[in-house]
Amino acid sequence: MFNRNFSVSRLPGFGAVAVFTFVMLYLPIIILVTFSFNAGVSQAQWEGFSLQWYQAAFQNDQVRDVSIRSLWLALAASGFATVLSTLAALGTTRVGRFPGQTMIYALINQPLMVPEIVTGVALLILVAFLKVQTGYTGMGYLVAAHTAFCIPFAYLPIRARLETMDITLEKAAADLYADHWQAFRYITLPLLVPGILAGFMLGFVISLDTVVITEFVKSAGQDTLPTYMLGQLRRTITPEMNAIATLFLALSLCIVTAFFVITRKRGT
Amino acid sequence: MAEARERHGWKWLLCTPALIVLVAAASGPLMIVVAYSFLTPGNMGGVEWDFTLEAWFRVFFRRDIFDPDAITLNQAHLGVFGRSVLLSLQTTLLCAVLGFPTAWFIATRPPSSRTLWLFLITIPFWTNLLIRTFAIQEVIRNNGTINAVLTGLGVIDSPLQMMYTDFAILLGMAYVFLPLMVLPLYAAMDKLDFRLVEAGYDLYASRVQVLWHVILPLVKPGFIAGSILVFIPSIGAYVTPRVLGGGRTMMLGNLIALQFGQGRNWPLGAALAMLMLIIVVGALIFYLRWANREEARNV
Amino acid sequence: MKRTIALGAAALLASTSLASAQEVLNLYNWGNYTSPELLERFTEETGIEVTVTDFDSNDTALARIRQGGHGFDIVVPSDSYIQTWIEEELFQPLDPEIVTDRDNIAPQWRDVDFDPGREYTVPWAWGTTGVIVDTSVYSGDINTAEVILDPPSELAGRINVIPEMSDVMALAIYYHGGERCTDDMDLLRQVRDTLMEAKPDWLALDYGAVDSYAAGDFAAGIYWNGASMRVRLQNDDFAYGYPQTGYPIWMDNAAVLADAENPENAMRFINFIIQPENAALISNFARYANGISGSEEFMDEEMRDAPEIVVPDELVEAGRFGQACPQEVNDIHTQIWTELLQ
């Protein structure tokens, strides 16, 4: 609506900085993708086009397993974290002060404030104890640990969205005798979607990045892509990793495209 | 009081699921670390259950290995603390300087393409942290992209040493944490009421005045969220300083990891972690107070 | 969102129920250290499915196993840690009924200091820690630790040192003429001073992927022989030197964990990897020697006469086998090391 009046939203130099940021953001990615097609072992010298690293990655069971495990772990953890954070954000935002609020904030943000290694060691001790006591050594521990770690990241954008949200619409809904649930379902939730989406995406990439915690919590056969790479760090990172990273990028592009096709269809 | 509890009960109820997960998988286990900071280091890592304040003593002071009576302030630790805080502040600033215009750019695109731009910010982050850090290494290493371009243009004769410096860590962290600034900023800008901006111009305010007095206060919640999201992970960053800093210049996360690893002094690691937590919480409270006071002044 | 959760939950269930059907083995090893070909051959021969999980340091592996509830059967720690593992009863003795071919272990590796009589461990791979130098940058003698500990001006500021305490401390102690586990405080003080004075000339204390050397980020460093070989294969200006004052020989060893869930399969795997033709697969993949007699004939051509693998005769004497130091000595070494890293 406001975009019709272009000058209002225009701030000189901002476009240039934004373009610069996007270029810087993609420069390493372009190099990474390029070298995933390199014929040689080197990640610095171009030796011709080849698909050998893709072939190697596909043939390597371990690489395939850890990639898939990383993906679904990120999906599960950020999914749970987003739901829990949305609820918590609704309980703590625009509701006035209430007893215990500060404590809730502190608890929600706590995983952010401690370096991963500390949470990792703490979880190692606790989780190992639970594993011995219960005999259950499955992925549940990793999902829980990742969920907890993703919550503050998912919570903040959702809360920021709620805080800047216009509440007149919800008041109007209440005036029209909508009950709490209806007001939430038809007014608040749709308005909240960008925040929830941002929270989910943040949680997802954070889970994909979580390496130290996973390293300490994982049991046999629970390597994720980052811990697999961490293990390689001491020896050498193979160009297979570039190939895998490129595939992850391609996957994200597919999801984005699918998302657009779906929203377009719904829009028309 | 009972009525108050009744009134606030639903808020607690909404928070409960999140709190259960957090207490079980984050805050609860953290208590173990608190306890560990008061214990004696075990053989090759781990702890002995003997109470001591030695770990806390060693956070601040150092005994010379060869002369146990010579006690000096532990400058190595203090140096690492100083560098971590400084680098994290610089990272936050750099993210803000790049992230604010970028978020603004996205928020002022036509609504249909905004999500696309937003996705463009997050797509690089589908690769994981280690991969991204290695990709940055390709850009800044001695015969990497930047040096190749600069040498090609004749700007420099010999390559700039960027890898394994504080600059490399700063660049890497800004790169890694940028979306944590852009996304909350965007979330706040997206709901910005542009009529207020328009009103500013109607009153003959300059662009700078509008930016400073109208836009900034309005997107402040996003800005606060963004800077917290960037600053705190920066201060405990482990992977980026390790890869790009080359292990010679340490940050807090590395110092703590060292104690839990090759340093084999878990209590010292725990005490350092606690101290860091105290600093971060202190900074956070200070920052939020300051932000609220600013807000009150602006209204 | 709902679908996401359902998907996650389904995947969770699937992954927990899949495993138990078949004979399995869980190997806990250094990253990028296990030849896929080796595992395939083992599965073909025995029908046992092997899952590899990586660790990135001896300390992480030890911490992880100590706490229990890990689900691993076999672990591959380095020689300097083995004594701790054995003392804490984390290993189980090898079963002579299944591990029948311990005689395949080369004589010098049969009765090692860290595991007398090879009661618990068998060799996985061994190597040396020496110096790697870009000979196009520095053309002097490279069989000395001086290029790192008191570097010539050509190399200063372009040196990388692996952040491994046992390797670096050993090189520095030998440089000053000491024994691996010396508790001579005067000598250790010299060691510390040498390291602290050398550190400003070092560019990084990093594992430094092979690439970083090949691409010219580093001109010299303390490095392992196998990794140095990989560097040379990419850039033949690089050469590997064996310090005359002494250089450490290390060995990573496979052992069966006391609380292994599949001890029998683990013992079979142990016996499998000490067969020469199988041990050669480990070497071909990781570029390190393996300590099994007769495996050379199954190794790749380029491994057999590589200067990084075959130690020159006049320098063999300078190599020192790994030794586990007493705790109080270890403490002093650790303190010097952490001071250096800070």
Side-chain angles (χ1 to χ4, degrees), chain A residues 228-241:
Chain A
Y228 177 72
M229 287 191 61
L230 191 74
Q232 292 198 325
L233 208 57
R234 187 168 176 275
R235 289 173 40 73
T236 191
I237 305 279
T238 59
E240 279 172 40
M241 289 298 108

PDB file of all heavy atoms in Angstrom, chain A residues 228-241:
ATOM      1  N   TYR A 228      30.109 -35.142  12.320  1.00  0.00           N
ATOM      2  CA  TYR A 228      30.898 -35.901  11.356  1.00  0.00           C
ATOM      3  C   TYR A 228      32.040 -35.029  10.833  1.00  0.00           C
ATOM      4  O   TYR A 228      33.183 -35.461  10.727  1.00  0.00           O
ATOM      5  CB  TYR A 228      29.994 -36.356  10.205  1.00  0.00           C
ATOM      6  CG  TYR A 228      30.702 -37.094   9.091  1.00  0.00           C
ATOM      7  CD1 TYR A 228      31.171 -38.385   9.280  1.00  0.00           C
ATOM      8  CD2 TYR A 228      30.896 -36.491   7.860  1.00  0.00           C
ATOM      9  CE1 TYR A 228      31.815 -39.056   8.262  1.00  0.00           C
ATOM     10  CE2 TYR A 228      31.537 -37.157   6.833  1.00  0.00           C
ATOM     11  CZ  TYR A 228      31.999 -38.438   7.038  1.00  0.00           C
ATOM     12  OH  TYR A 228      32.643 -39.102   6.033  1.00  0.00           O
ATOM     13  N   MET A 229      31.712 -33.764  10.553  1.00  0.00           N
ATOM     14  CA  MET A 229      32.746 -32.849  10.067  1.00  0.00           C
ATOM     15  C   MET A 229      33.737 -32.494  11.164  1.00  0.00           C
ATOM     16  O   MET A 229      34.924 -32.348  10.907  1.00  0.00           O
ATOM     17  CB  MET A 229      32.104 -31.583   9.526  1.00  0.00           C
ATOM     18  CG  MET A 229      31.431 -31.804   8.213  1.00  0.00           C
ATOM     19  SD  MET A 229      30.974 -30.252   7.473  1.00  0.00           S
ATOM     20  CE  MET A 229      32.561 -29.472   7.288  1.00  0.00           C
ATOM     21  N   LEU A 230      33.244 -32.334  12.373  1.00  0.00           N
ATOM     22  CA  LEU A 230      34.131 -32.029  13.496  1.00  0.00           C
ATOM     23  C   LEU A 230      35.164 -33.148  13.642  1.00  0.00           C
ATOM     24  O   LEU A 230      36.337 -32.906  13.903  1.00  0.00           O
ATOM     25  CB  LEU A 230      33.323 -31.880  14.782  1.00  0.00           C
ATOM     26  CG  LEU A 230      34.067 -31.318  15.981  1.00  0.00           C
ATOM     27  CD1 LEU A 230      34.305 -29.831  15.815  1.00  0.00           C
ATOM     28  CD2 LEU A 230      33.315 -31.576  17.272  1.00  0.00           C
ATOM     29  N   GLY A 231      34.698 -34.381  13.458  1.00  0.00           N
ATOM     30  CA  GLY A 231      35.601 -35.518  13.536  1.00  0.00           C
ATOM     31  C   GLY A 231      36.673 -35.463  12.451  1.00  0.00           C
ATOM     32  O   GLY A 231      37.795 -35.914  12.639  1.00  0.00           O
ATOM     33  N   GLN A 232      36.313 -34.888  11.301  1.00  0.00           N
ATOM     34  CA  GLN A 232      37.260 -34.802  10.188  1.00  0.00           C
ATOM     35  C   GLN A 232      38.270 -33.680  10.362  1.00  0.00           C
ATOM     36  O   GLN A 232      39.332 -33.697   9.754  1.00  0.00           O
ATOM     37  CB  GLN A 232      36.506 -34.551   8.886  1.00  0.00           C
ATOM     38  CG  GLN A 232      35.669 -35.721   8.452  1.00  0.00           C
ATOM     39  CD  GLN A 232      35.323 -35.595   6.989  1.00  0.00           C
ATOM     40  OE1 GLN A 232      35.112 -34.508   6.493  1.00  0.00           O
ATOM     41  NE2 GLN A 232      35.263 -36.717   6.306  1.00  0.00           N
ATOM     42  N   LEU A 233      37.897 -32.711  11.200  1.00  0.00           N
ATOM     43  CA  LEU A 233      38.695 -31.492  11.346  1.00  0.00           C
ATOM     44  C   LEU A 233      40.151 -31.808  11.649  1.00  0.00           C
ATOM     45  O   LEU A 233      41.061 -31.142  11.193  1.00  0.00           O
ATOM     46  CB  LEU A 233      38.088 -30.654  12.477  1.00  0.00           C
ATOM     47  CG  LEU A 233      38.267 -29.153  12.414  1.00  0.00           C
ATOM     48  CD1 LEU A 233      37.705 -28.618  11.124  1.00  0.00           C
ATOM     49  CD2 LEU A 233      37.585 -28.501  13.590  1.00  0.00           C
ATOM     50  N   ARG A 234      40.368 -32.835  12.452  1.00  0.00           N
ATOM     51  CA  ARG A 234      41.726 -33.152  12.888  1.00  0.00           C
ATOM     52  C   ARG A 234      42.535 -33.728  11.739  1.00  0.00           C
ATOM     53  O   ARG A 234      43.747 -33.609  11.710  1.00  0.00           O
ATOM     54  CB  ARG A 234      41.662 -34.140  14.046  1.00  0.00           C
ATOM     55  CG  ARG A 234      42.991 -34.431  14.700  1.00  0.00           C
ATOM     56  CD  ARG A 234      42.722 -35.170  15.991  1.00  0.00           C
ATOM     57  NE  ARG A 234      43.926 -35.582  16.657  1.00  0.00           N
ATOM     58  CZ  ARG A 234      44.577 -36.704  16.393  1.00  0.00           C
ATOM     59  NH1 ARG A 234      44.148 -37.515  15.453  1.00  0.00           N
ATOM     60  NH2 ARG A 234      45.648 -37.022  17.091  1.00  0.00           N
ATOM     61  N   ARG A 235      41.863 -34.342  10.805  1.00  0.00           N
ATOM     62  CA  ARG A 235      42.602 -34.894   9.667  1.00  0.00           C
ATOM     63  C   ARG A 235      42.423 -33.997   8.463  1.00  0.00           C
ATOM     64  O   ARG A 235      43.147 -33.038   8.306  1.00  0.00           O
ATOM     65  CB  ARG A 235      42.158 -36.323   9.417  1.00  0.00           C
ATOM     66  CG  ARG A 235      42.679 -37.230  10.562  1.00  0.00           C
ATOM     67  CD  ARG A 235      42.158 -38.623  10.514  1.00  0.00           C
ATOM     68  NE  ARG A 235      42.071 -39.181   9.165  1.00  0.00           N
ATOM     69  CZ  ARG A 235      43.112 -39.564   8.455  1.00  0.00           C
ATOM     70  NH1 ARG A 235      44.301 -39.444   8.927  1.00  0.00           N
ATOM     71  NH2 ARG A 235      42.936 -40.070   7.260  1.00  0.00           N
ATOM     72  N   THR A 236      41.448 -34.228   7.672  1.00  0.00           N
ATOM     73  CA  THR A 236      41.253 -33.300   6.570  1.00  0.00           C
ATOM     74  C   THR A 236      39.800 -33.339   6.135  1.00  0.00           C
ATOM     75  O   THR A 236      39.177 -34.383   6.137  1.00  0.00           O
ATOM     76  CB  THR A 236      42.191 -33.625   5.394  1.00  0.00           C
ATOM     77  OG1 THR A 236      42.143 -32.546   4.477  1.00  0.00           O
ATOM     78  CG2 THR A 236      41.832 -34.915   4.703  1.00  0.00           C
ATOM     79  N   ILE A 237      39.275 -32.159   5.806  1.00  0.00           N
ATOM     80  CA  ILE A 237      37.907 -32.090   5.328  1.00  0.00           C
ATOM     81  C   ILE A 237      37.917 -32.438   3.841  1.00  0.00           C
ATOM     82  O   ILE A 237      38.618 -31.822   3.064  1.00  0.00           O
ATOM     83  CB  ILE A 237      37.330 -30.676   5.507  1.00  0.00           C
ATOM     84  CG1 ILE A 237      37.453 -30.237   6.962  1.00  0.00           C
ATOM     85  CG2 ILE A 237      35.909 -30.605   5.010  1.00  0.00           C
ATOM     86  CD1 ILE A 237      36.398 -30.758   7.867  1.00  0.00           C
ATOM     87  N   THR A 238      37.150 -33.441   3.457  1.00  0.00           N
ATOM     88  CA  THR A 238      37.153 -33.844   2.059  1.00  0.00           C
ATOM     89  C   THR A 238      36.171 -32.990   1.258  1.00  0.00           C
ATOM     90  O   THR A 238      35.207 -32.472   1.806  1.00  0.00           O
ATOM     91  CB  THR A 238      36.740 -35.317   1.922  1.00  0.00           C
ATOM     92  OG1 THR A 238      35.435 -35.454   2.480  1.00  0.00           O
ATOM     93  CG2 THR A 238      37.696 -36.227   2.651  1.00  0.00           C
ATOM     94  N   PRO A 239      36.436 -32.847  -0.056  1.00  0.00           N
ATOM     95  CA  PRO A 239      35.519 -32.079  -0.907  1.00  0.00           C
ATOM     96  C   PRO A 239      34.120 -32.695  -0.977  1.00  0.00           C
ATOM     97  O   PRO A 239      33.193 -32.054  -1.438  1.00  0.00           O
ATOM     98  CB  PRO A 239      36.197 -32.100  -2.278  1.00  0.00           C
ATOM     99  CG  PRO A 239      37.615 -32.447  -2.012  1.00  0.00           C
ATOM    100  CD  PRO A 239      37.608 -33.299  -0.794  1.00  0.00           C
ATOM    101  N   GLU A 240      33.986 -33.934  -0.497  1.00  0.00           N
ATOM    102  CA  GLU A 240      32.641 -34.513  -0.391  1.00  0.00           C
ATOM    103  C   GLU A 240      31.737 -33.589   0.401  1.00  0.00           C
ATOM    104  O   GLU A 240      30.542 -33.490   0.149  1.00  0.00           O
ATOM    105  CB  GLU A 240      32.692 -35.848   0.374  1.00  0.00           C
ATOM    106  CG  GLU A 240      33.100 -37.033  -0.410  1.00  0.00           C
ATOM    107  CD  GLU A 240      33.291 -38.242   0.501  1.00  0.00           C
ATOM    108  OE1 GLU A 240      32.480 -38.421   1.422  1.00  0.00           O
ATOM    109  OE2 GLU A 240      34.251 -38.990   0.297  1.00  0.00           O
ATOM    110  N   MET A 241      32.330 -32.924   1.391  1.00  0.00           N
ATOM    111  CA  MET A 241      31.558 -32.029   2.237  1.00  0.00           C
ATOM    112  C   MET A 241      30.989 -30.868   1.433  1.00  0.00           C
ATOM    113  O   MET A 241      29.880 -30.439   1.669  1.00  0.00           O
ATOM    114  CB  MET A 241      32.427 -31.506   3.389  1.00  0.00           C
ATOM    115  CG  MET A 241      32.751 -32.551   4.433  1.00  0.00           C
ATOM    116  SD  MET A 241      31.266 -33.171   5.227  1.00  0.00           S
ATOM    117  CE  MET A 241      31.170 -34.796   4.549  1.00  0.00           C
TER     118      MET A 241
END
